[in-house]
Amino acid sequence: MLHVRAIVPPDETDAVVAELALHVGVTNVVVLPGAARVPSGDVVLCDVAREATDDVLTALKARGIARTGSIAASEVDLALSDAAAEAEERAPGHGDDAVVWDQVFRHLQDGSRLTWTFGAFLVLATMLAGIAALLDSPILVVGAMVLGPEFVPIAAIAFALLTARWELLRRANLTLVVGFVLAIAVTYVCTRIGRFTGFLDLAELPADRPLTGFVYSPDRWSFLVAILAGIAGVLSLTSGKAEALVGVFISVTTVPAAGNLAVALALGHYSEVRGSVLQLGVNIGGMIIAGIVTFVVQWLCWKLVLRRGMGRSEEG
């Protein structure tokens, strides 16, 4: 269940309330005449089943409310209401499967911004991956994957390509490129300093790395893993239950490959540089492809759910 608040011009209030009444997933409608000041207007509040939220927001935007007033939606953690339970029961589909596309877009838009926090997490993750390469430690590879924040910009690229949102595409690409260049550069410099000061007693990366060699040896399994990770990541972004998964372990071997690339460059182990670059490209490309396909499948499946739900409501 989501709580929707709309600031509506007074001459549009009755039409908006009538529009909300058309949606079976809407309940607890409240009108506060003249309550809003900036922008001025009436405040219309309602609770909406997640399954119906996308349609409700689309209807409000079609009436120009986002332009003349304001629309906001937030998750309802607890709703003790028979009316709310009935609204969720009437709405077609299941809330966990529903996609609120405006919410997804805003999440991707915010998460693909190039911020100091994004850069710091990517630098730390890449440095941790570099240490994992030096020690042949799969545990540190997992740690680097946990810290890596790069999946949201990758998902944003997939979403932007699918919906022709070119500004989002430009921003996400810039964030990825600058972020990885910065992370690789910092890891490279730190490795060189460690070599110069004697902190690192390795002349080059270990020749035998049975536990982490996969980060610079792309093969068909690398692409398959990237596809599966891309699907899991997008489902995490759009699902009502699994949002915590995003950015936790969907890095796969993007960050580990970047860390291996930086360390290999610093130690002059150029035979692994090409493999690391290919691994990075394969994983990013695979996740973008998987993201586009998953977004399309979710949209088509939900359209089918809504169509069946409308058919049942007409029969009833």
Side-chain angles (χ1 to χ4, degrees), residues 28-217:
N28 299 335
V29 179
V30 177
V31 178
L32 304 175
R37 294 294 180 265
V38 182
S40 61
D42 298 339
V43 176
V44 179
L45 308 173
C46 63
D47 292 331
V48 187
R50 184 179 176 86
E51 306 93 299
T53 301
D54 195 62
D55 284 345
V56 169
L57 295 180
T58 299
L60 292 176
K61 290 190 297 180
R63 290 191 169 277
I65 303 305
R67 184 182 66 258
T68 59
S70 172
I71 305 171
S74 57
E75 298 283 348
V76 176
D77 294 327
L78 177 64
L80 302 178
S81 166
D82 288 346
E86 291 172 5
E88 289 184 319
E89 184 66 27
R90 290 193 304 266
H94 194 282
D96 291 347
D97 300 327
V99 180
V100 183
W101 291 106
D102 286 299
Q103 187 180 48
V104 172
F105 171 65
R106 183 53 58 88
H107 185 93
L108 294 175
Q109 190 177 45
D110 292 341
S112 60
R113 296 180 188 277
L114 183 59
T115 63
W116 286 110
T117 301
F118 177 90
F121 272 111
L122 193 55
V123 166
L124 292 172
T126 305
M127 292 182 67
L128 196 59
I131 297 173
L134 293 169
L135 301 180
D136 191 32
S137 170
I139 299 300
L140 293 181
V141 168
V142 173
M145 290 162 58
V146 169
L147 283 178
E150 78 284 359
F151 179 75
V152 174
I154 292 173
I157 291 173
F159 187 81
L161 288 171
L162 185 62
T163 58
R165 299 178 186 268
W166 308 124
E167 177 58 28
L168 178 61
L169 179 64
R170 183 197 66 79
R171 176 186 297 170
N173 275 313
L174 178 66
T175 298
L176 273 183
V177 171
V178 173
F180 271 114
V181 168
L182 174 65
I184 291 171
V186 171
T187 305
Y188 172 87
V189 170
C190 289
T191 305
R192 295 291 293 178
I193 292 174
R195 188 77 183 93
F196 177 76
T197 59
F199 184 82
L200 296 180
D201 55 1
L202 297 174
E204 60 180 21
L205 286 168
D208 184 23
R209 291 168 54 193
L211 300 179
T212 60
F214 65 92
V215 303
Y216 62 88
S217 303

Side-chain angles (χ1 to χ4, degrees), residues 287-309:
M287 285 192 283
I288 290 174
I289 293 171
I292 292 174
V293 173
T294 306
F295 281 132
V296 170
V297 170
Q298 284 186 294
W299 184 81
L300 291 175
C301 288
W302 192 247
K303 285 294 182 184
L304 181 61
V305 169
L306 293 179
R307 189 175 301 170
R308 287 182 176 177

Side-chain angles (χ1 to χ4, degrees), residues 217-306:
S217 303
D219 54 21
R220 64 184 185 279
W221 294 108
S222 302
F223 186 72
L224 178 59
V225 169
I227 292 291
L228 295 176
I231 294 171
V234 169
L235 290 176
S236 299
L237 276 169
T238 57
S239 169
K241 287 290 186 184
E243 290 182 1
L245 292 175
V246 179
V248 174
F249 65 85
I250 308 299
S251 295
V252 200
T253 49
T254 50
V255 165
N260 193 82
L261 170 62
V263 172
L265 281 172
L267 298 180
H269 203 152
Y270 301 115
S271 62
E272 292 188 11
V273 171
R274 179 175 177 273
S276 299
V277 172
L278 284 176
Q279 183 74 72
L280 188 60
V282 164
N283 278 277
I284 291 177
M287 285 192 283
I288 290 174
I289 293 171
I292 292 174
V293 173
T294 306
F295 281 132
V296 170
V297 170
Q298 284 186 294
W299 184 81
L300 291 175
C301 288
W302 192 247
K303 285 294 182 184
L304 181 61
V305 169
L306 293 179

